[in-house]
Amino acid sequence: MDFTSEQEAVRSVVREFAVEELRPVAAECDAEQAFPEDVWDALADMDLTGLTVPEEYGGYDADPVTYAIVNEELAYGMLSVATALSVHGLATSCIAEFGSEAVREEWLPEMATGRPVGAFALSEPQAGSNPAEMSTVARRDGDEFVIDGTKQWITNGRRSEVVILFAKTDRDDPGSVTQFLVPKDTDGVSVGKKEDKLGLRASDTTSLEFDGARIPAEYQLTEEGRGLSAAFSILTGGRIAIAAQAVGLAQSALDAALEYSQEREQFDGLISEIQSIRHKLADMQTSVQAGRLLTYDAARQKASGSPKETAMAASQAKYFASEHAVDVANEAVQIHGGYGYTTDFPVERLYRDAKILTIYEGTSEIQKKIIARHLLEN
């Protein structure tokens, strides 16, 4: 694949950061379910917390390919950090694209520096894959909106200070979903329990409760009823980021398996000399590279193609790369044998982390639904 010299430089810098700063703390953060805030501050120092913030507000304003590169390389080091950053990027993208000039000036410069951290609140306990069924309501009251409801599966749920929220303005109208900005310190906003998850354990995932939370009317980001279309347009870029993360995690698992296979001896030789192991490695490499090609094809389409083509490409990349990340991580554990089932080796964590890639920002089933719809509409 052809990358510009600047993109190659970004890849080199972020890979070095992933290896030297993320990998050494990944196991401890996973075990303690603690997010490495010093790492976040280091990302801010590298301008990476402003990836989706326009330059006029102090951001990096990365092109889609560069954005994918950063997500791939961070996930190579620790998926929890890559996920937290990509969700922060969703929040800043929403403000940049849909906020008024006053709102952009108020929030984006500081968010570009990493604080406040952003969150994205679309899913609900009874409305995950079908957000039109959400029950959260934002009722207009003079110069304010009053928000009531519960959001679920919120990445950066505790550590965030600003939330991009989706709510109906008419409880009985699925077509009334609208996008809002809600400061986390608003009266009536509270954080629910932190989820105890299979993987991605260093990333805090919580519910958010809204009980009569009042926000200024100027924090309405979209016209009434335009919230879901806005969410889906932003999530197209988010799905490319998740595909890139899947590639990065899979590459990390492959590299670990390669290294182990050339050190571990069985049957009077290295296991890398055993044909079944060599075939596993060949399949893993092919899966990683195929996912990478789909991901960067989608990123390039986002940079230059039509929204319709980009949406299909993003779903293809997210579906393929995430499912194969699970497969590659599984094979990495198998190559390690019993040791792969212990926390002594990173493939155990990579295997647990990989599964979420097939679920968040649209399950694999949703991605197949999108792909099929685009095929049948042509």
Side-chain angles (χ1 to χ4, degrees), residues 35 68 77 96 189 211 223 294 361:
F35 189 85
V189 178
D211 183 9
E223 297 175 6
L294 281 169
E361 294 197 30

Side-chain angles (χ1 to χ4, degrees), residues 236-237 239-240 243 298 309-319 367:
T236 294
R239 285 166 179 164
I240 297 171
E309 292 170 343
T310 301
M312 182 173 179
S315 287
Q316 289 177 145
K318 204 269 186 186
Y319 165 55
Q367 304 314 315

Side-chain angles (χ1 to χ4, degrees), residues 214-235:
R214 289 180 173 270
I215 60 170
E218 55 263 33
Y219 284 170
Q220 176 184 341
L221 298 183
T222 65
E223 297 175 6
E224 293 190 20
R226 295 290 302 277
L228 281 186
S229 62
F232 294 152
S233 69
I234 293 296
L235 284 173

Side-chain angles (χ1 to χ4, degrees), residues 135-140 145-148 165 167-170 178 180 215 224:
S135 59
T136 299
V137 174
R139 174 178 55 83
R140 184 71 181 253
F145 279 92
V146 183
I147 303 169
D148 292 283
L165 174 80
K168 293 177 179 176
T169 55
D170 181 342
T178 305
F180 300 90
I215 60 170
E224 293 190 20

Side-chain angles (χ1 to χ4, degrees), residues 308-361:
K308 184 176 181 179
E309 292 170 343
T310 301
M312 182 173 179
S315 287
Q316 289 177 145
K318 204 269 186 186
Y319 165 55
F320 184 93
S322 64
E323 289 288 341
H324 283 268
V326 175
D327 294 340
V328 170
N330 175 58
E331 291 288 47
V333 171
Q334 196 72 17
I335 288 171
H336 280 70
Y339 289 111
Y341 202 66
T342 72
T343 58
D344 293 335
F345 288 83
V347 291
E348 179 268 346
R349 171 176 47 83
L350 295 174
Y351 184 48
R352 288 187 290 103
D353 281 355
K355 185 57 188 174
I356 191 60
L357 294 161
T358 69
I359 297 173
Y360 61 9
E361 294 197 30

Side-chain angles (χ1 to χ4, degrees), residues 21-35:
E21 304 295 334
L22 296 182
R23 282 191 164 186
V25 302
E28 180 181 358
C29 290
D30 176 80
E32 296 182 357
Q33 299 192 49
F35 189 85

